[in-house]
Amino acid sequence: MDLNAHLYAIGLPGPRQEGSADAMGFKAWNLARLAAIGLPVPPAFVLGTPLCARHRADPAAFRPHLRTLLETQIERLEAVCGLEFGSERKPLLVSVRSGAAVSMPGMMDTVLDVGLTDATLRGLLRVTGNPRLAWDSYRRLIQQFAEVVHGAPAEPFQTLLHDAIAQAGVSRAQDLDFRDLSRLCRHYQDAYAQTVGQPFPQDPAQQLLDATAAVFDSWMSPRAVAYRRLQGLDDGLGTAITVQRMVFGNAGGTSGAGVGFTRDPASGENRLYLDFRFNAQGEDVVSGRHAAAENGRMALVLPSVLSRLQSVREILEREFGDVQEFEFTVQDGVLYLLQTRAAKRTDWAALRIAVDQVTAGAWSPATALRRLDGVDLAGIVQTRIEAAGTDRELATGTPASIGVASGVIALDAAAAERFAQTGTECILVRDETRSDDLAGIAAAQGVITAKGSRTAHAAVVARQLGKACLVGCNGLRVDLERRRVVFGTQSLHEGERITVDCGSGRVLAGAVRAFVERPDVWLDQVARWRAIAGPALVG
């Protein structure tokens, strides 16, 4: 195999290897399309999906070849950025991102801020003049490297972070100053050595090699395999890897990270659906570990960026011919796009979007029917609460889906699967959901989380599977030791029944009567398309 034949470039000088979505992965393929139409995409190089197969076949034998590929391609990235990977004066930092030929949201790994060391951190300080950015990025890399490359647990690092927040007398990580963060980095390095059994690597080239190998390995992670089984996808597809210049959403008050949908993926409403966190990196939004997003401030602080996103929304739908989910970063008021893909949506939303697109003339009826292929149109319903007094209200949260679901409380994926196996409907209640909870989400009727946003990976999966889902529930505390949940002042044990109402954003005690709504007007439209054109329309 000619390994160089499976290298691709986005925004880099020199000859451009022509690729396909299967070879580059859909993430990189779509990024190349965005760059080609003039949208702001940080430059990158791509290791194609066939290289994943080479790595899987014999990781040790492939490692020297992988190192050579990375060394040659990083030089191309350095040339266009005017920075040098590993430099102590003007360091280039990169992200290492997975990207299969099919969309698998949150099932594989990413490592950000690769290239930061004790030495290059001083160079980042010189280049940016932003000590908080430098130390915050370093502590993120240390933790992510431990988790992704070595499979270390997040808890030791999360505990240290919570202790630092408490000691500083602030309420969240964004409020820690550079002195707090520099101390935290030292503690993180100690925790890294204790959990991994070796010091944090100070060789940027070694970091890049190890991160790339780990992201290749994440193709066969249990959650990725489980997702492919659920979706009927082939294990042989493999993932590509995009190595991209870092842009920093954690650079201060006019920076941040977000995820947007060009239409509401739950209801199908034709509006920008957005979650954004200030002074954050992308993992803060999609991981589900953090509180809900700060969308209201965006219109006040970054109105020009929000306006630009509205125009990007229209460009994306026009370019890709479908509703898109996209990730973006804002650094010092400048917008960068990092990903776009066809949006995962509820069946209700899929139907409404198809009808709206045909009505607007954007899709033909034939296209709409093809997009609805595989959707159980006869089974599309939305449940709504008839009435429920406030005396039954346990908590409120942010709806990430539609509908109503009742069931007994399940506090982890294993419990949800046990209840499902006995025919007992359940609601998965978590402090935060992770991609590892996929089996539990699939087994449950609904999902409730104390943290997270509507666009966190687990919420995206829950929505796609048609589960009622509330995120960021106020006053919710999960006590795994006692197998109970606390909603404000009320305590319920695992196995007690609750109801999730996405219409009102409420969690209610017990089961609640609901009525079923069918989208008959939209279904009539689909029936007319079929009746007019007959079987040829579907084919």
Side-chain angles (χ1 to χ4, degrees), residues 17 153 159 162 284 292 442:
Q17 175 80 16
T159 298
H162 293 155
D284 297 335

Side-chain angles (χ1 to χ4, degrees), residues 257-475:
V259 176
F261 289 75
T262 57
R263 299 184 188 222
D264 188 321
S267 69
E269 185 180 350
N270 186 6
R271 65 181 181 89
L272 181 63
Y273 184 97
L274 193 70
D275 278 339
F276 183 79
R277 284 180 62 84
F278 279 90
N279 205 15
Q281 290 193 345
E283 286 299 300
D284 297 335
V285 180
V286 301
S287 69
R289 289 177 177 173
H290 302 278
E294 305 160 300
N295 300 333
R297 282 181 56 205
M298 193 177 190
L300 299 174
V301 179
L302 296 169
S304 61
V305 173
L306 187 57
S307 176
R308 177 63 168 146
L309 288 170
Q310 291 285 3
S311 64
V312 164
R313 168 180 177 253
E314 298 176 3
I315 294 169
L316 291 179
E317 287 205 1
R318 188 164 59 246
E319 172 68 17
F320 292 93
D322 196 5
V323 177
Q324 296 291 294
E325 174 193 355
F326 59 97
E327 296 183 17
F328 63 95
T329 287
V330 180
Q331 180 176 338
D332 297 325
V334 179
L335 174 68
Y336 298 92
L337 298 180
L338 302 179
Q339 175 175 325
T340 191
R341 60 188 169 202
K344 306 296 184 184
R345 63 204 79 170
T346 64
D347 287 351
W348 182 283
L351 176 60
R352 176 173 179 172
I353 289 166
V355 171
D356 286 352
Q357 294 283 45
V358 172
T359 302
W363 293 357
S364 68
T367 296
L369 284 174
R370 283 194 296 272
R371 296 286 167 78
L372 291 171
D373 186 37
V375 175
D376 178 15
L377 295 175
I380 296 180
V381 296
Q382 182 175 179
T383 49
R384 298 185 185 275
I385 293 290
E386 287 184 337
T390 57
D391 59 316
R392 302 188 64 176
E393 182 178 307
L394 298 170
T396 59
T398 301
S401 188
I402 58 174
V404 176
S406 291
V408 301
I409 295 169
L411 295 183
D412 53 36
E417 291 183 276
R418 286 196 303 271
F419 282 126
Q421 288 167 3
T422 63
T424 304
E425 295 181 337
C426 66
I427 305 296
L428 181 63
V429 182
R430 301 285 275 158
D431 180 58
E432 62 189 54
T433 52
R434 303 179 183 180
S435 300
D436 294 338
D437 288 327
L438 174 62
I441 294 171
Q445 302 302 305
V447 180
I448 303 172
T449 68
K451 300 175 184 174
S453 65
R454 303 172 302 172
T455 55
H457 287 316
V460 170
V461 171
R463 190 162 50 237
Q464 179 192 5
L465 296 177
K467 311 296 183 179
C469 182
L470 291 181
V471 298
C473 285
N474 65 317

Side-chain angles (χ1 to χ4, degrees), residues 138-153:
Y138 200 18
R139 65 99 180 171
R140 291 171 181 271
L141 172 62
I142 295 167
Q143 176 174 349
Q144 220 172 23
F145 208 85
E147 291 185 48
V148 173
V149 177
H150 297 285

Side-chain angles (χ1 to χ4, degrees), residues 148-192:
V148 173
V149 177
H150 297 285
E155 285 73 18
F157 302 97
Q158 294 298 102
T159 298
L160 288 170
L161 178 60
H162 293 155
D163 290 346
I165 290 171
Q167 185 175 357
V170 297
S171 59
R172 54 185 191 162
Q174 289 101 315
D175 297 324
L176 295 173
D177 65 22
F178 76 91
R179 296 179 185 85
D180 300 323
L181 290 165
S182 65
R183 285 192 296 270
L184 185 59
C185 280
R186 290 193 290 274
H187 295 318
Y188 269 28
Q189 286 184 324
D190 292 340
Y192 182 99

Side-chain angles (χ1 to χ4, degrees), residues 26-63:
F26 260 113
K27 186 181 295 184
W29 174 253
N30 287 348
L31 278 177
R33 289 177 65 178
L34 294 182
I37 61 174
L39 290 176
V41 175
F45 64 86
V46 182
L47 309 179
T49 54
L51 299 178
C52 183
R54 281 291 303 271
H55 170 79
R56 284 176 55 200
D58 192 338
F62 183 61
R63 194 171 179 85

